[in-house]
Short mmCIF file of all heavy atoms in Angstrom, two decimals:
data_model
loop_
_atom_site.label_atom_id
_atom_site.label_comp_id
_atom_site.label_asym_id
_atom_site.label_seq_id
_atom_site.Cartn_x
_atom_site.Cartn_y
_atom_site.Cartn_z
N TRP A 547 -30.04 -28.11 14.86
CA TRP A 547 -30.53 -29.30 15.59
C TRP A 547 -30.53 -28.81 17.06
O TRP A 547 -29.56 -28.23 17.59
CB TRP A 547 -29.60 -30.47 15.41
CG TRP A 547 -29.47 -30.79 13.97
CD1 TRP A 547 -28.79 -30.19 13.00
CD2 TRP A 547 -30.15 -31.94 13.32
NE1 TRP A 547 -28.86 -30.84 11.76
CE2 TRP A 547 -29.74 -31.93 11.90
CE3 TRP A 547 -31.01 -32.91 13.76
CZ2 TRP A 547 -30.21 -32.85 11.00
CZ3 TRP A 547 -31.36 -33.94 12.79
CH2 TRP A 547 -31.08 -33.77 11.47
N HIS A 548 -31.62 -29.17 17.82
CA HIS A 548 -31.66 -28.64 19.16
C HIS A 548 -32.50 -29.54 20.09
O HIS A 548 -33.33 -30.34 19.62
CB HIS A 548 -32.29 -27.26 19.14
CG HIS A 548 -33.58 -27.10 18.52
ND1 HIS A 548 -34.73 -27.20 19.21
CD2 HIS A 548 -33.87 -26.80 17.22
CE1 HIS A 548 -35.80 -26.95 18.35
NE2 HIS A 548 -35.22 -26.72 17.13
N GLY A 549 -32.28 -29.38 21.44
CA GLY A 549 -32.99 -30.01 22.41
C GLY A 549 -32.73 -29.44 23.76
O GLY A 549 -31.68 -28.87 23.99
N TYR A 550 -33.69 -29.63 24.75
CA TYR A 550 -33.50 -29.02 26.02
C TYR A 550 -33.46 -30.25 27.03
O TYR A 550 -34.35 -31.13 26.99
CB TYR A 550 -34.55 -28.14 26.38
CG TYR A 550 -34.53 -27.50 27.73
CD1 TYR A 550 -33.79 -26.31 28.06
CD2 TYR A 550 -35.13 -28.13 28.88
CE1 TYR A 550 -33.72 -25.75 29.26
CE2 TYR A 550 -34.99 -27.60 30.11
CZ TYR A 550 -34.34 -26.37 30.43
OH TYR A 550 -34.26 -25.89 31.57
N LEU A 551 -32.47 -30.27 27.91
CA LEU A 551 -32.40 -31.36 28.95
C LEU A 551 -32.47 -30.77 30.32
O LEU A 551 -31.63 -30.08 30.81
CB LEU A 551 -31.03 -32.11 28.87
CG LEU A 551 -30.94 -33.19 27.80
CD1 LEU A 551 -31.10 -32.62 26.36
CD2 LEU A 551 -29.66 -34.01 27.96
N PRO A 552 -33.65 -31.03 30.92
CA PRO A 552 -33.78 -30.56 32.40
C PRO A 552 -32.76 -31.18 33.22
O PRO A 552 -32.36 -32.38 33.14
CB PRO A 552 -35.20 -31.03 32.74
CG PRO A 552 -35.86 -31.26 31.43
CD PRO A 552 -34.90 -31.70 30.52
N GLY A 553 -32.28 -30.49 34.23
CA GLY A 553 -31.40 -31.03 35.23
C GLY A 553 -29.91 -30.99 34.78
O GLY A 553 -29.05 -31.37 35.70
N ILE A 554 -29.59 -30.76 33.58
CA ILE A 554 -28.20 -30.74 33.12
C ILE A 554 -27.71 -29.32 33.33
O ILE A 554 -28.31 -28.31 32.88
CB ILE A 554 -28.15 -31.02 31.64
CG1 ILE A 554 -28.61 -32.49 31.37
CG2 ILE A 554 -26.68 -30.87 31.20
CD1 ILE A 554 -27.82 -33.58 32.11
N GLY A 555 -26.63 -29.16 34.13
CA GLY A 555 -26.13 -27.93 34.58
C GLY A 555 -24.64 -27.64 34.27
O GLY A 555 -23.91 -28.45 33.69
N PRO A 556 -24.13 -26.55 34.99
CA PRO A 556 -22.74 -26.20 34.78
C PRO A 556 -21.72 -27.34 35.11
O PRO A 556 -22.01 -28.02 36.14
CB PRO A 556 -22.54 -25.05 35.64
CG PRO A 556 -23.90 -24.38 35.75
CD PRO A 556 -24.86 -25.69 35.66
N GLY A 557 -20.70 -27.41 34.42
CA GLY A 557 -19.66 -28.50 34.63
C GLY A 557 -19.85 -29.75 33.85
O GLY A 557 -19.03 -30.54 33.74
N THR A 558 -21.18 -29.91 33.23
CA THR A 558 -21.33 -31.13 32.44
C THR A 558 -20.46 -31.01 31.21
O THR A 558 -20.40 -29.99 30.40
CB THR A 558 -22.77 -31.11 32.01
OG1 THR A 558 -23.62 -31.18 33.23
CG2 THR A 558 -23.19 -32.26 31.05
N ARG A 559 -19.82 -32.14 30.90
CA ARG A 559 -18.98 -32.25 29.68
C ARG A 559 -19.78 -32.86 28.64
O ARG A 559 -20.49 -33.84 28.87
CB ARG A 559 -17.75 -32.90 29.96
CG ARG A 559 -16.80 -32.34 31.00
CD ARG A 559 -15.53 -33.14 31.18
NE ARG A 559 -15.81 -34.54 31.64
CZ ARG A 559 -14.89 -35.46 31.44
NH1 ARG A 559 -13.77 -35.19 30.85
NH2 ARG A 559 -15.18 -36.72 31.80
N TYR A 560 -19.67 -32.41 27.25
CA TYR A 560 -20.44 -32.91 26.27
C TYR A 560 -19.77 -32.68 24.92
O TYR A 560 -18.66 -32.04 24.89
CB TYR A 560 -21.82 -32.23 26.19
CG TYR A 560 -21.68 -30.73 25.72
CD1 TYR A 560 -22.03 -30.34 24.48
CD2 TYR A 560 -21.43 -29.71 26.54
CE1 TYR A 560 -21.88 -29.12 24.07
CE2 TYR A 560 -21.32 -28.38 26.14
CZ TYR A 560 -21.60 -28.08 24.89
OH TYR A 560 -21.58 -26.77 24.47
N GLY A 561 -20.32 -33.39 23.86
CA GLY A 561 -19.84 -33.23 22.49
C GLY A 561 -20.90 -33.72 21.62
O GLY A 561 -21.99 -34.02 22.06
N PHE A 562 -20.64 -33.70 20.29
CA PHE A 562 -21.69 -34.11 19.36
C PHE A 562 -21.06 -35.14 18.35
O PHE A 562 -19.89 -35.20 18.15
CB PHE A 562 -22.02 -32.89 18.43
CG PHE A 562 -22.70 -31.74 19.20
CD1 PHE A 562 -22.18 -30.50 19.29
CD2 PHE A 562 -24.05 -31.98 19.82
CE1 PHE A 562 -22.82 -29.50 19.98
CE2 PHE A 562 -24.57 -30.90 20.48
CZ PHE A 562 -24.04 -29.72 20.60
N ARG A 563 -22.03 -36.06 17.95
CA ARG A 563 -21.66 -37.00 16.83
C ARG A 563 -22.65 -36.73 15.76
O ARG A 563 -23.88 -36.71 15.92
CB ARG A 563 -21.73 -38.38 17.39
CG ARG A 563 -20.71 -38.72 18.50
CD ARG A 563 -20.74 -40.24 18.85
NE ARG A 563 -19.94 -40.55 20.00
CZ ARG A 563 -18.63 -40.80 19.86
NH1 ARG A 563 -18.03 -40.95 18.70
NH2 ARG A 563 -17.89 -41.18 20.97
N VAL A 564 -22.13 -36.61 14.55
CA VAL A 564 -22.88 -36.23 13.42
C VAL A 564 -22.95 -37.38 12.38
O VAL A 564 -21.93 -37.99 11.90
CB VAL A 564 -22.24 -34.97 12.64
CG1 VAL A 564 -23.06 -34.70 11.43
CG2 VAL A 564 -22.32 -33.78 13.59
N HIS A 565 -24.28 -37.86 12.11
CA HIS A 565 -24.57 -38.82 11.13
C HIS A 565 -24.84 -38.13 9.83
O HIS A 565 -25.75 -37.28 9.82
CB HIS A 565 -25.64 -39.77 11.61
CG HIS A 565 -25.43 -40.45 12.93
ND1 HIS A 565 -25.00 -41.79 12.86
CD2 HIS A 565 -25.41 -40.07 14.10
CE1 HIS A 565 -24.85 -42.16 14.13
NE2 HIS A 565 -25.10 -41.16 15.01
N GLY A 566 -24.25 -38.44 8.79
CA GLY A 566 -24.52 -37.78 7.49
C GLY A 566 -23.54 -38.34 6.55
O GLY A 566 -22.75 -39.29 6.70
N PRO A 567 -23.55 -37.68 5.34
CA PRO A 567 -22.65 -38.20 4.20
C PRO A 567 -21.19 -38.02 4.42
O PRO A 567 -20.74 -37.00 5.00
CB PRO A 567 -23.12 -37.29 3.01
CG PRO A 567 -23.65 -36.08 3.66
CD PRO A 567 -24.29 -36.53 4.99
N TYR A 568 -20.43 -39.00 4.05
CA TYR A 568 -18.96 -38.96 4.05
C TYR A 568 -18.55 -39.18 2.65
O TYR A 568 -18.46 -40.38 2.12
CB TYR A 568 -18.40 -40.00 5.01
CG TYR A 568 -16.96 -40.06 5.13
CD1 TYR A 568 -16.28 -39.17 5.96
CD2 TYR A 568 -16.15 -40.85 4.34
CE1 TYR A 568 -14.91 -39.03 6.06
CE2 TYR A 568 -14.76 -40.77 4.46
CZ TYR A 568 -14.11 -39.99 5.30
OH TYR A 568 -12.72 -39.94 5.35
N ASP A 569 -18.09 -38.16 1.93
CA ASP A 569 -17.44 -38.26 0.68
C ASP A 569 -16.51 -37.10 0.51
O ASP A 569 -16.88 -36.04 -0.09
CB ASP A 569 -18.61 -38.14 -0.35
CG ASP A 569 -18.16 -38.46 -1.76
OD1 ASP A 569 -16.91 -38.56 -1.96
OD2 ASP A 569 -19.03 -38.49 -2.73
N PRO A 570 -15.29 -37.32 0.94
CA PRO A 570 -14.30 -36.16 0.88
C PRO A 570 -14.02 -35.57 -0.46
O PRO A 570 -13.84 -34.30 -0.51
CB PRO A 570 -13.07 -36.90 1.36
CG PRO A 570 -13.54 -38.01 2.28
CD PRO A 570 -14.74 -38.49 1.54
N ALA A 571 -14.25 -36.32 -1.56
CA ALA A 571 -14.13 -35.91 -2.91
C ALA A 571 -15.17 -34.74 -3.18
O ALA A 571 -14.92 -33.94 -4.06
CB ALA A 571 -14.26 -36.96 -3.94
N ARG A 572 -16.26 -34.82 -2.44
CA ARG A 572 -17.24 -33.70 -2.62
C ARG A 572 -17.37 -32.80 -1.43
O ARG A 572 -18.26 -32.01 -1.34
CB ARG A 572 -18.70 -34.41 -2.81
CG ARG A 572 -18.80 -35.16 -4.07
CD ARG A 572 -20.24 -35.56 -4.34
NE ARG A 572 -20.81 -36.50 -3.29
CZ ARG A 572 -22.00 -36.15 -2.72
NH1 ARG A 572 -22.74 -35.06 -3.05
NH2 ARG A 572 -22.47 -36.94 -1.85
N GLY A 573 -16.32 -32.87 -0.56
CA GLY A 573 -16.24 -31.91 0.56
C GLY A 573 -17.06 -32.36 1.67
O GLY A 573 -17.31 -31.63 2.58
N LEU A 574 -17.60 -33.61 1.79
CA LEU A 574 -18.46 -34.12 2.78
C LEU A 574 -17.68 -35.08 3.84
O LEU A 574 -17.09 -36.04 3.27
CB LEU A 574 -19.61 -34.86 2.27
CG LEU A 574 -20.46 -34.03 1.25
CD1 LEU A 574 -21.51 -34.91 0.55
CD2 LEU A 574 -21.25 -32.84 2.00
N ARG A 575 -17.64 -34.68 5.09
CA ARG A 575 -16.78 -35.35 6.00
C ARG A 575 -17.45 -35.75 7.23
O ARG A 575 -16.90 -35.78 8.43
CB ARG A 575 -15.52 -34.65 6.35
CG ARG A 575 -14.62 -34.40 5.04
CD ARG A 575 -13.39 -33.67 5.30
NE ARG A 575 -12.55 -33.50 4.17
CZ ARG A 575 -11.50 -34.30 3.88
NH1 ARG A 575 -11.33 -35.38 4.54
NH2 ARG A 575 -10.77 -34.07 2.71
N CYS A 576 -18.77 -36.09 7.27
CA CYS A 576 -19.57 -36.47 8.50
C CYS A 576 -19.09 -37.93 8.83
O CYS A 576 -18.90 -38.89 7.97
CB CYS A 576 -20.99 -36.44 8.25
SG CYS A 576 -21.66 -34.85 7.83
N ASN A 577 -18.80 -38.11 10.17
CA ASN A 577 -18.47 -39.40 10.69
C ASN A 577 -18.70 -39.52 12.11
O ASN A 577 -18.16 -38.92 13.03
CB ASN A 577 -16.97 -39.72 10.45
CG ASN A 577 -16.48 -41.11 10.87
OD1 ASN A 577 -17.22 -41.84 11.54
ND2 ASN A 577 -15.37 -41.45 10.45
N PRO A 578 -19.83 -40.28 12.48
CA PRO A 578 -20.21 -40.26 13.93
C PRO A 578 -19.17 -40.92 14.82
O PRO A 578 -19.43 -40.85 16.09
CB PRO A 578 -21.53 -41.17 13.89
CG PRO A 578 -21.43 -41.93 12.66
CD PRO A 578 -20.66 -41.08 11.69
N ALA A 579 -18.08 -41.51 14.38
CA ALA A 579 -17.16 -42.09 15.17
C ALA A 579 -16.31 -40.98 15.83
O ALA A 579 -15.47 -41.17 16.76
CB ALA A 579 -16.16 -43.01 14.36
N LYS A 580 -16.34 -39.80 15.18
CA LYS A 580 -15.55 -38.64 15.69
C LYS A 580 -16.39 -37.70 16.78
O LYS A 580 -17.38 -37.19 16.22
CB LYS A 580 -15.07 -37.85 14.57
CG LYS A 580 -14.37 -38.72 13.48
CD LYS A 580 -13.29 -39.49 14.03
CE LYS A 580 -12.66 -40.56 12.97
NZ LYS A 580 -11.78 -41.56 13.62
N LEU A 581 -16.00 -37.69 17.94
CA LEU A 581 -16.62 -36.74 18.84
C LEU A 581 -16.22 -35.40 18.44
O LEU A 581 -15.08 -35.01 18.23
CB LEU A 581 -16.18 -37.07 20.24
CG LEU A 581 -16.94 -36.25 21.26
CD1 LEU A 581 -18.35 -36.69 21.49
CD2 LEU A 581 -16.13 -36.26 22.69
N LEU A 582 -17.21 -34.47 18.38
CA LEU A 582 -16.90 -33.07 17.98
C LEU A 582 -17.18 -32.03 19.05
O LEU A 582 -18.20 -32.18 19.77
CB LEU A 582 -17.86 -32.78 16.70
CG LEU A 582 -17.70 -33.82 15.56
CD1 LEU A 582 -18.78 -33.38 14.36
CD2 LEU A 582 -16.26 -33.80 15.04
N LEU A 583 -16.44 -31.07 19.10
CA LEU A 583 -16.65 -29.97 19.92
C LEU A 583 -17.78 -29.15 19.47
O LEU A 583 -17.99 -28.99 18.22
CB LEU A 583 -15.31 -29.07 20.06
CG LEU A 583 -14.17 -29.55 20.81
CD1 LEU A 583 -12.97 -28.62 20.62
CD2 LEU A 583 -14.54 -29.75 22.30
N ASP A 584 -18.49 -28.51 20.40
CA ASP A 584 -19.44 -27.52 20.02
C ASP A 584 -18.88 -26.22 19.56
O ASP A 584 -18.03 -25.73 20.33
CB ASP A 584 -20.36 -27.33 21.27
CG ASP A 584 -21.44 -26.32 21.00
OD1 ASP A 584 -21.61 -25.65 19.93
OD2 ASP A 584 -22.13 -26.00 22.04
#
């Protein structure tokens, strides 16, 4: 997944939120409530 943001430069703090299946019994643990490190 990708995108380019003009004007965003060094020092900017960021993270990701992943929308997707959450089913630990099948090894799936996506949860957009959790901010994720790159």
Side-chain angles (χ1 to χ4, degrees):
W547 304 76
H548 55 92
Y550 180 91
L551 276 67
I554 297 299
T558 301
R559 298 185 301 158
Y560 71 98
F562 296 116
R563 295 183 186 273
V564 175
H565 298 261
Y568 181 84
D569 186 355
R572 295 194 296 130
L574 302 168
R575 294 179 179 271
C576 300
N577 185 343
K580 309 307 171 189
L581 183 74
L582 305 177
L583 288 174
D584 179 359

